[in-house]
Amino acid sequence: KNEVEQSPQNLTAQEGEFITINCSYSVGISALHWLQQHPGGGIVSLFMLSSGKKKHGRLIATINIQEKHSSLHITASHPRDSAVYICAVIYNTDKLIFGTGTRLQVFP
Amino acid sequence: SAVISQKPSRDICQRGTSLTIQCQVDSQVTMMFWYRQQPGQSLTLIATANQGSEATYESGFVIDKFPISRPNLTFSTLTVSNMSPEDSSIYLCSVGQQGPAFFGQGTRLTVV
Protein backbone atom coordinates (compact mmCIF):
# COMPACT_ATOMS: atom_id res chain seq x y z
CA LYS A 1 0.00 0.00 0.00
CA ASN A 2 1.36 3.41 -0.98
CA GLU A 3 1.93 5.86 1.84
CA VAL A 4 0.26 8.58 -0.22
CA GLU A 5 -2.89 7.70 -2.10
CA GLN A 6 -4.68 9.98 -4.51
CA SER A 7 -8.14 9.65 -5.95
CA PRO A 8 -9.33 9.59 -8.55
CA GLN A 9 -6.43 8.55 -10.78
CA ASN A 10 -8.13 10.01 -13.83
CA LEU A 11 -10.80 12.66 -14.01
CA THR A 12 -12.65 14.22 -16.91
CA ALA A 13 -14.88 17.24 -16.58
CA GLN A 14 -16.81 19.74 -18.64
CA GLU A 15 -15.71 23.33 -18.53
CA GLY A 16 -17.28 25.11 -15.59
CA GLU A 17 -17.59 22.07 -13.35
CA PHE A 18 -16.40 22.00 -9.74
CA ILE A 19 -13.57 19.51 -9.29
CA THR A 20 -12.26 17.75 -6.20
CA ILE A 21 -9.09 15.70 -5.98
CA ASN A 22 -8.37 13.78 -2.80
CA CYS A 23 -5.15 12.80 -1.05
CA SER A 24 -4.86 10.42 1.89
CA TYR A 25 -1.63 9.55 3.65
CA SER A 26 -0.57 7.13 6.33
CA VAL A 27 2.49 8.80 7.88
CA GLY A 28 2.80 11.68 10.31
CA ILE A 29 3.62 14.80 8.34
CA SER A 30 4.78 18.35 8.90
CA ALA A 31 3.27 19.75 5.68
CA LEU A 32 1.72 18.79 2.39
CA HIS A 33 2.25 20.09 -1.14
CA TRP A 34 -0.08 20.22 -4.09
CA LEU A 35 1.78 20.36 -7.39
CA GLN A 36 0.58 20.78 -10.97
CA GLN A 37 2.46 18.99 -13.74
CA HIS A 38 1.83 20.23 -17.25
CA PRO A 39 1.72 17.90 -20.25
CA GLY A 40 5.26 18.91 -21.20
CA GLY A 41 6.49 17.83 -17.78
CA GLY A 42 6.94 21.24 -16.16
CA ILE A 43 5.96 21.34 -12.48
CA VAL A 44 4.34 24.22 -10.63
CA SER A 45 3.86 24.38 -6.89
CA LEU A 46 0.27 25.29 -6.09
CA PHE A 47 0.10 25.10 -2.30
CA MET A 48 2.05 24.07 0.73
CA LEU A 49 -0.12 23.71 3.81
CA SER A 50 0.10 22.23 7.26
CA SER A 51 -3.36 23.06 8.56
CA GLY A 52 -6.69 24.50 7.57
CA LYS A 53 -7.35 25.89 4.16
CA LYS A 54 -5.65 27.99 1.48
CA LYS A 55 -7.15 29.70 -1.54
CA HIS A 56 -5.52 31.07 -4.66
CA GLY A 57 -7.79 32.22 -7.44
CA ARG A 58 -10.03 29.32 -8.41
CA LEU A 59 -8.00 26.81 -6.43
CA ILE A 60 -8.70 25.82 -2.85
CA ALA A 61 -6.70 23.35 -0.78
CA THR A 62 -7.75 21.93 2.57
CA ILE A 63 -6.07 19.60 5.00
CA ASN A 64 -7.30 17.64 8.01
CA ILE A 65 -4.27 16.51 9.97
CA GLN A 66 -6.26 14.28 12.33
CA GLU A 67 -7.86 12.41 9.45
CA LYS A 68 -4.66 12.42 7.36
CA HIS A 69 -6.51 13.79 4.38
CA SER A 70 -6.25 16.72 2.00
CA SER A 71 -8.38 17.91 -0.89
CA LEU A 72 -7.72 20.17 -3.84
CA HIS A 73 -10.75 21.91 -5.31
CA ILE A 74 -10.98 23.72 -8.61
CA THR A 75 -13.97 25.98 -9.10
CA ALA A 76 -15.27 26.92 -12.55
CA SER A 77 -12.85 24.52 -14.25
CA HIS A 78 -11.31 25.48 -17.58
CA PRO A 79 -9.51 23.48 -20.27
CA ARG A 80 -6.24 25.13 -19.25
CA ASP A 81 -6.59 23.36 -15.89
CA SER A 82 -5.91 20.09 -17.71
CA ALA A 83 -2.79 18.66 -16.08
CA VAL A 84 -1.61 16.06 -13.60
CA TYR A 85 -2.12 17.12 -9.98
CA ILE A 86 0.30 15.63 -7.47
CA CYS A 87 0.02 15.49 -3.71
CA ALA A 88 3.29 15.24 -1.79
CA VAL A 89 3.75 14.98 1.98
CA ILE A 90 6.73 16.07 4.05
CA TYR A 91 7.68 13.78 6.92
CA ASN A 92 10.76 13.65 9.15
CA THR A 93 11.21 17.35 8.34
CA ASP A 94 12.92 16.86 4.99
CA LYS A 95 11.56 13.68 3.39
CA LEU A 96 8.99 14.06 0.64
CA ILE A 97 6.68 11.27 -0.50
CA PHE A 98 4.79 11.85 -3.71
CA GLY A 99 1.42 10.50 -4.70
CA THR A 100 0.99 8.96 -8.13
CA GLY A 101 -0.98 11.93 -9.38
CA THR A 102 -4.45 12.62 -10.72
CA ARG A 103 -4.75 13.23 -14.44
CA LEU A 104 -7.40 15.87 -15.09
CA GLN A 105 -8.87 16.66 -18.49
CA VAL A 106 -11.33 19.51 -18.82
CA PHE A 107 -13.26 19.68 -22.08
CA PRO A 108 -14.82 22.83 -23.50
CA SER B 1 9.71 32.36 -0.77
CA ALA B 2 12.26 31.25 -3.36
CA VAL B 3 12.26 31.31 -7.13
CA ILE B 4 14.09 28.45 -8.80
CA SER B 5 15.49 28.43 -12.31
CA GLN B 6 16.15 24.91 -13.53
CA LYS B 7 17.99 24.35 -16.81
CA PRO B 8 17.66 22.87 -19.33
CA SER B 9 13.90 22.41 -19.43
CA ARG B 10 14.32 19.50 -21.82
CA ASP B 11 17.04 17.73 -23.78
CA ILE B 12 17.54 14.79 -26.07
CA CYS B 13 20.87 13.04 -25.56
CA GLN B 14 22.82 10.20 -27.08
CA ARG B 15 23.42 7.11 -24.98
CA GLY B 16 26.82 7.03 -23.32
CA THR B 17 26.99 10.80 -22.90
CA SER B 18 26.39 12.87 -19.76
CA LEU B 19 24.04 15.75 -19.03
CA THR B 20 24.38 18.32 -16.27
CA ILE B 21 21.21 19.91 -14.93
CA GLN B 22 21.45 23.22 -13.10
CA CYS B 23 19.29 24.55 -10.31
CA GLN B 24 19.70 28.26 -9.47
CA VAL B 25 17.83 29.84 -6.56
CA ASP B 26 17.24 33.55 -6.06
CA SER B 27 17.98 33.34 -2.33
CA GLN B 28 20.21 31.34 -0.03
CA VAL B 29 18.72 28.01 1.01
CA THR B 30 20.04 25.36 3.32
CA MET B 31 18.74 22.23 1.65
CA MET B 32 18.44 21.20 -1.98
CA PHE B 33 16.86 18.02 -3.23
CA TRP B 34 16.98 16.19 -6.53
CA TYR B 35 14.15 13.92 -7.72
CA ARG B 36 13.50 11.68 -10.69
CA GLN B 37 10.21 10.75 -12.30
CA GLN B 38 10.41 7.81 -14.66
CA PRO B 39 7.60 7.44 -17.22
CA GLY B 40 4.36 6.50 -15.51
CA GLN B 41 5.93 6.61 -12.05
CA SER B 42 5.86 8.90 -9.04
CA LEU B 43 8.67 11.31 -8.31
CA THR B 44 11.43 9.67 -6.26
CA LEU B 45 14.20 11.31 -4.24
CA ILE B 46 17.69 10.82 -5.71
CA ALA B 47 19.72 12.73 -3.14
CA THR B 48 19.83 15.60 -0.71
CA ALA B 49 22.54 18.22 -1.22
CA ASN B 50 23.53 20.52 1.61
CA GLN B 51 26.23 23.12 1.11
CA GLY B 52 29.53 22.18 2.62
CA SER B 53 28.88 18.47 2.81
CA GLU B 54 28.71 15.49 0.51
CA ALA B 55 25.34 14.74 -1.01
CA THR B 56 23.33 12.01 0.67
CA TYR B 57 22.00 9.45 -1.81
CA GLU B 58 18.89 7.34 -1.46
CA SER B 59 18.92 3.60 -1.91
CA GLY B 60 19.33 2.70 -5.56
CA PHE B 61 21.19 5.86 -6.52
CA VAL B 62 24.98 6.17 -6.54
CA ILE B 63 27.38 9.08 -6.82
CA ASP B 64 29.18 7.69 -9.85
CA LYS B 65 25.96 7.72 -11.85
CA PHE B 66 24.45 10.92 -10.42
CA PRO B 67 27.26 13.21 -9.20
CA ILE B 68 25.96 16.33 -7.48
CA SER B 69 27.69 19.61 -6.79
CA ARG B 70 26.61 22.22 -4.26
CA PRO B 71 29.24 24.96 -4.42
CA ASN B 72 27.19 27.58 -2.57
CA LEU B 73 23.82 28.26 -0.96
CA THR B 74 22.09 29.30 -4.21
CA PHE B 75 23.25 26.72 -6.76
CA SER B 76 23.44 23.00 -7.39
CA THR B 77 23.98 20.69 -10.33
CA LEU B 78 22.99 17.10 -10.96
CA THR B 79 24.84 15.16 -13.66
CA VAL B 80 23.35 12.07 -15.26
CA SER B 81 26.40 10.10 -16.37
CA ASN B 82 26.91 7.51 -19.07
CA MET B 83 23.27 7.73 -20.02
CA SER B 84 21.11 4.88 -21.25
CA PRO B 85 17.51 4.95 -22.46
CA GLU B 86 16.46 3.90 -18.94
CA ASP B 87 17.58 7.32 -17.72
CA SER B 88 14.85 8.99 -19.77
CA SER B 89 12.89 10.76 -17.05
CA ILE B 90 11.90 14.08 -15.61
CA TYR B 91 14.45 15.41 -13.14
CA LEU B 92 13.34 17.96 -10.56
CA CYS B 93 15.12 20.07 -7.98
CA SER B 94 13.54 21.36 -4.81
CA VAL B 95 14.83 23.69 -2.10
CA GLY B 96 13.99 24.82 1.40
CA GLN B 97 15.46 25.86 4.72
CA GLN B 98 14.33 22.80 6.58
CA GLY B 99 12.77 20.63 3.90
CA PRO B 100 11.46 20.72 0.33
CA ALA B 101 9.30 23.81 -0.01
CA PHE B 102 9.88 25.21 -3.49
CA PHE B 103 10.27 23.43 -6.80
CA GLY B 104 12.03 23.94 -10.10
CA GLN B 105 10.15 23.48 -13.33
CA GLY B 106 11.73 20.13 -14.09
CA THR B 107 14.00 18.83 -16.85
CA ARG B 108 12.59 16.33 -19.33
CA LEU B 109 15.44 14.09 -20.50
CA THR B 110 15.15 11.70 -23.40
CA VAL B 111 18.05 9.35 -24.12
CA VAL B 112 18.21 7.86 -27.61
Side-chain angles (χ1 to χ4, degrees), chain A:
Chain A
K1 185 181 186 299
N2 293 331
E3 290 160 308
V4 181
E5 298 268 359
Q6 283 185 239
S7 64
Q9 287 186 310
N10 294 284
L11 183 57
T12 58
Q14 288 295 123
E15 183 173 358
E17 286 186 6
F18 180 84
I19 288 163
T20 296
I21 299 170
N22 296 300
C23 176
S24 297
Y25 51 91
S26 57
V27 295
I29 69 169
S30 56
L32 178 147
H33 286 280
W34 281 103
L35 307 173
Q36 180 191 54
Q37 185 170 32
H38 295 290
I43 289 176
V44 175
S45 178
L46 300 175
F47 296 103
M48 184 172 77
L49 64 166
S50 54
S51 66
K53 174 180 173 179
K54 286 190 176 181
K55 183 176 189 292
H56 182 69
R58 295 181 294 107
L59 303 178
I60 302 167
T62 64
I63 188 169
N64 185 318
I65 294 293
Q66 287 74 28
E67 294 186 3
K68 292 187 167 59
H69 182 269
S70 176
S71 293
L72 176 69
H73 305 286
I74 305 175
T75 61
S77 60
H78 190 277
R80 64 175 175 265
D81 296 325
S82 298
V84 176
Y85 291 84
I86 301 170
C87 165
V89 302
I90 303 174
Y91 75 103
N92 286 353
T93 304
D94 62 352
K95 299 297 184 187
L96 199 59
I97 306 175
F98 294 87
T100 53
T102 295
R103 183 176 299 277
L104 170 65
Q105 288 185 295
V106 182
F107 294 99

Side-chain angles (χ1 to χ4, degrees), chain A residues 36-38 40-45, chain B residues 2-10 21-24 34 37 43 90-94 102-108:
Chain A
Q36 180 191 54
Q37 185 170 32
H38 295 290
I43 289 176
V44 175
S45 178
Chain B
V3 177
I4 302 171
S5 174
Q6 184 174 339
K7 295 179 181 179
S9 58
R10 55 178 57 225
I21 302 167
Q22 299 181 354
C23 186
Q24 176 76 54
W34 288 98
Q37 183 183 37
L43 285 149
I90 293 171
Y91 294 85
L92 179 70
C93 72
S94 175
F102 308 99
F103 296 87
Q105 302 88 347
T107 297
R108 180 181 285 275

Side-chain angles (χ1 to χ4, degrees), chain A residues 33 48 90 93-96, chain B residues 1-4 23-35 45 47-51 70 72-76 93-104:
Chain A
H33 286 280
M48 184 172 77
I90 303 174
T93 304
D94 62 352
K95 299 297 184 187
L96 199 59
Chain B
S1 67
V3 177
I4 302 171
C23 186
Q24 176 76 54
V25 192
D26 69 343
S27 58
Q28 294 185 337
V29 292
T30 305
M31 307 183 78
M32 298 185 85
F33 308 86
W34 288 98
Y35 303 90
L45 180 66
T48 302
N50 297 330
Q51 197 267 339
R70 181 81 201 273
N72 56 54
L73 290 173
T74 64
F75 188 78
S76 178
C93 72
S94 175
V95 306
Q97 299 299 1
Q98 294 179 311
F102 308 99
F103 296 87

Side-chain angles (χ1 to χ4, degrees), chain B residues 36-43 86-90:
Chain B
R36 180 179 74 178
Q37 183 183 37
Q38 294 180 298
Q41 304 290 319
S42 299
L43 285 149
E86 292 71 35
D87 294 318
S88 297
S89 298
I90 293 171

